[in-house]
């Protein structure tokens, strides 16, 4: 597609429920990133995919968080047993990633705003 | 990834140039300097990037010091729509993730 698409744009859920957030990167972009941004805060790195593999999961805050990417394209971030502190905007970005060039730039989606009541 | 240091906030008047500094004294020879900005209620967007030479595009200019330990993002004529948080990031050929610091919050006064 023309840009990075994220869904849902807004999600309100009750504490303890599971949620899935979806990211559809730009076609041909092999690298995909998930970030979290709490209200008024900076971007917190969560996980990075190169193709279908996730060489860097260091940012996932707990084992309630997981992410997968299939077919080297769409990625899903799953939060199990949501807590109120999970409330944030979850941002996805993609880049060409080929050859790990430092010149590759990120294109971000509009984000998914998660509110846990 | 090497660290960058930016002022927390800056102010500018509309239609005046803005120079946003970034220090990166531990930069390595293979690190690219990237700038992104985040407008209110939006995801970050790419602004410009460079390696050694100064760069210009339709959005901004990037001036890189000769020793590459600092750089400056230049907005030639600030508009109200340029009010955003500006992030300076280093990215090498081996780094796998982009690390965003707190950035500089730019306010543009009419």
């Amino acid at each position: 597609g023309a840009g990075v698409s994220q869904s849902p744009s807004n999600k309100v859920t009750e504490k303890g429920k599971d949620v899935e957030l979806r990211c559809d990167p730009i076609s041909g972009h092999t690298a995909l990133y998930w970030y979290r941004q709490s209200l008024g805060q900076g971007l917190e790195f969560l996980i990075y995919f190169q193709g279908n593999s996730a060489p860097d999961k260091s940012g996932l805050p707990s084992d309630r968080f997981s992410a997968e990417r299939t077919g080297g394209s769409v990625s899903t971030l799953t939060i199990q047993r949501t807590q109120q502190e999970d409330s944030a905007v979850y941002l996805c970005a993609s880049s060409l990633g080929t050859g790990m060039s430092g010149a590759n730039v990120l294109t971000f989606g509009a984000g998914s705003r998660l509110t846990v009541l | 990834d090497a660290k960058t240091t930016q002022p927390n906030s800056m102010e500018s008047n509309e239609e005046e140039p803005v120079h946003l500094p970034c220090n990166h004294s531990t930069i390595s020879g293979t690190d690219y300097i990237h700038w992104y900005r985040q407008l209110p209620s939006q995801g970050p967007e790419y602004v410009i990037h460079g390696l050694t030479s100064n760069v210009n595009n339709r959005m901004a200019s990037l001036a890189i010091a000769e020793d590459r330990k600092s750089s400056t993002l230049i907005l030639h004529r600030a508009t109200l729509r340029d009010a955003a948080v500006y992030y300076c990031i280093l990215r090498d050929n081996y780094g796998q993730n982009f690390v965003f610091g707190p950035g500089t919050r730019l306010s543009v006064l009419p």
Side-chain angles (χ1 to χ4, degrees), chain B residues 36-40 82-87 101-106:
Chain B
Y36 291 77
R37 72 178 185 181
Q38 188 172 22
L39 281 67
D82 291 323
V85 178
Y86 287 78
Y87 300 97
T104 297
R105 182 173 297 277
L106 175 67

Side-chain angles (χ1 to χ4, degrees), chain A residues 80-103:
Chain A
Q80 295 179 309
R81 305 181 303 281
T82 53
Q83 304 293 313
Q84 288 182 331
E85 61 262 29
D86 299 335
S87 297
V89 175
Y90 289 81
L91 290 157
C92 176
S94 69
S95 76
L96 279 173
T98 304
M100 303 305 301
S101 169

Side-chain angles (χ1 to χ4, degrees), chain A residues 95-117:
Chain A
S95 76
L96 279 173
T98 304
M100 303 305 301
S101 169
N104 291 330
V105 301
L106 290 180
T107 302
F108 279 85
S112 293
R113 180 177 298 279
L114 174 65
T115 303
V116 182
L117 302 177

Side-chain angles (χ1 to χ4, degrees), chain B residues 38-78:
Chain B
Q38 188 172 22
L39 281 67
S41 301
Q42 294 187 28
E45 64 176 352
Y46 166 77
V47 178
I48 200 167
H49 77 289
L51 183 60
T52 56
S53 304
N54 294 345
V55 184
N56 300 295
N57 66 21
R58 63 174 180 82
M59 291 181 71
S61 296
L62 176 60
I64 301 172
E66 197 169 330
D67 63 5
R68 302 208 322 125
K69 293 182 185 291
S70 65
S71 61
T72 302
L73 179 70
I74 302 166
L75 306 179
H76 295 285
R77 286 185 66 204

Side-chain angles (χ1 to χ4, degrees), chain B:
Chain B
D1 292 320
K3 299 286 188 199
T4 63
T5 305
Q6 300 177 252
N8 290 334
S9 62
M10 291 184 65
E11 250 182 28
S12 172
N13 293 319
E14 196 176 11
E15 298 191 3
E16 289 187 357
V18 182
H19 290 229
L20 296 161
C22 181
N23 287 321
H24 28 79
S25 58
T26 60
I27 192 170
S28 74
T30 56
D31 282 336
Y32 284 78
I33 302 158
H34 287 245
W35 284 83
Y36 291 77
R37 72 178 185 181
Q38 188 172 22
L39 281 67
S41 301
Q42 294 187 28
E45 64 176 352
Y46 166 77
V47 178
I48 200 167
H49 77 289
L51 183 60
T52 56
S53 304
N54 294 345
V55 184
N56 300 295
N57 66 21
R58 63 174 180 82
M59 291 181 71
S61 296
L62 176 60
I64 301 172
E66 197 169 330
D67 63 5
R68 302 208 322 125
K69 293 182 185 291
S70 65
S71 61
T72 302
L73 179 70
I74 302 166
L75 306 179
H76 295 285
R77 286 185 66 204
T79 70
L80 297 178
R81 293 186 305 167
D82 291 323
V85 178
Y86 287 78
Y87 300 97
C88 169
I89 302 156
L90 299 184
R91 171 84 167 149
D92 66 23
N93 287 334
Y94 308 100
Q96 294 175 334
N97 74 63
F98 285 74
V99 178
F100 285 77
T104 297
R105 182 173 297 277
L106 175 67
S107 301
V108 180
L109 306 176

Side-chain angles (χ1 to χ4, degrees), chain A residues 26-74:
Chain A
I26 291 174
S27 178
H29 279 195
T30 60
L32 186 147
Y33 305 77
W34 282 99
Y35 291 87
R36 176 170 73 171
Q37 189 169 36
S38 301
L39 187 63
Q41 302 299 310
L43 277 77
E44 176 188 4
F45 168 78
L46 297 179
I47 189 169
Y48 155 80
F49 286 93
Q50 180 63 40
N52 289 340
S53 65
D56 191 348
K57 303 179 183 179
S58 62
L60 293 177
S62 77
D63 59 8
R64 296 186 296 105
F65 287 72
S66 63
E68 64 176 15
R69 189 180 186 196
T70 54
S73 181
V74 173

